[in-house]
């Protein structure tokens, strides 16, 4: 195993991570991971684990990781939506060219309701943005 291990390891969980300090400088030359904190990305909270106190270096590293993680998750959200657009196009092609009547019967209502819901949300959000832009323009 390489001696170039990072000083910290972040075990991802749904709303953040458990933060471990990685130690290879021990008598057995084994990798030891000592939990030092719990991170919650949703509320920005960093809780030291147990009776620990975090150093400035710990906090800087954790905050940098949190910023990177938030950026990564935002990028993934957009990528997921763009994939959904691709799937919608593939679904339209499937419905037009390959689907049997029974297959269409099995999915049509669910698809129509989901698309109606999505359309309603998108139209409302677009109208809100246009109204806000118009209000901002009239104020200046």
């Amino acid at each position: 195993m390489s001696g170039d291990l990072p000083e910290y390891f972040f075990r991802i969980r749904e709303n953040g991570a458990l933060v471990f300090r990685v130690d290879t400088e021990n008598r057995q030359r084994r990798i030891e991971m000592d939990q030092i904190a719990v991170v919650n990305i949703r509320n920005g909270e960093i809780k030291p684990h147990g009776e620990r106190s975090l150093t400035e270096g710990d906090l800087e590293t954790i905050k940098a990781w949190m910023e990177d993680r938030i950026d990564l998750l935002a990028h993934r959200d957009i990528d997921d939506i763009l994939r959904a657009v691709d799937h919608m196009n593939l679904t339209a092609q499937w419905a037009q060219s390959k689907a049997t009547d029974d297959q269409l019967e099995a999915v049509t209502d669910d698809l129509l309701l989901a698309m109606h819901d999505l359309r309603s949300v998108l139209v409302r959000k677009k109208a809100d943005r246009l109204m806000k832009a118009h209000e901002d323009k009239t104020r200046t």
Side-chain angles (χ1 to χ4, degrees):
M1 179 159 265
S2 170
D4 296 338
L5 292 174
E7 186 177 350
Y8 299 92
F9 172 73
F10 294 82
R11 182 192 298 157
I12 306 301
R13 43 188 239 166
E14 178 132 353
N15 61 346
L18 303 177
V19 184
F20 296 86
R21 186 174 288 117
V22 178
D23 178 20
T24 57
E25 302 295 323
N26 55 64
R27 293 177 66 162
Q28 294 84 18
R29 301 186 58 95
R30 293 185 178 150
I31 298 171
E32 293 181 5
M33 296 191 330
D34 187 24
Q35 185 178 350
I36 62 170
V38 176
V39 174
N40 185 323
I41 287 182
R42 290 190 184 130
N43 65 14
E45 191 172 58
I46 301 170
K47 288 184 184 176
H49 181 69
E51 299 295 318
R52 300 195 176 279
S53 51
L54 301 174
T55 67
E56 283 301 315
D58 293 338
L59 290 171
E60 286 176 18
T61 300
I62 292 169
K63 288 176 183 176
W65 178 86
M66 289 173 74
E67 288 175 17
D68 290 346
R69 183 71 180 168
I70 289 167
D71 290 346
L72 174 66
L73 293 174
H75 176 76
R76 285 182 181 170
D77 282 346
I78 295 298
D79 189 53
D80 287 346
I81 299 306
L82 293 173
R83 287 174 196 246
V85 171
D86 287 349
H87 283 286
M88 289 173 66
N89 286 315
L90 292 169
T91 301
Q93 184 61 32
W94 168 82
Q96 183 175 0
S97 63
K98 295 179 184 177
T100 66
D101 288 345
D102 288 342
Q103 289 172 323
L104 287 171
E105 188 61 36
V107 299
T108 296
D109 290 345
D110 288 339
L111 281 170
L112 287 173
L113 288 170
M115 290 187 314
H116 175 74
D117 182 36
L118 176 60
R119 183 182 184 284
S120 298
V121 169
L122 292 174
V123 168
R124 184 176 63 251
K125 291 289 200 171
K126 176 103 180 179
D128 291 348
R129 289 193 312 273
L130 290 172
M131 292 296 290
K132 184 178 184 312
H134 178 69
E135 289 171 5
D136 291 347
K137 234 182 187 181
T138 57
R139 284 187 199 151
T140 57

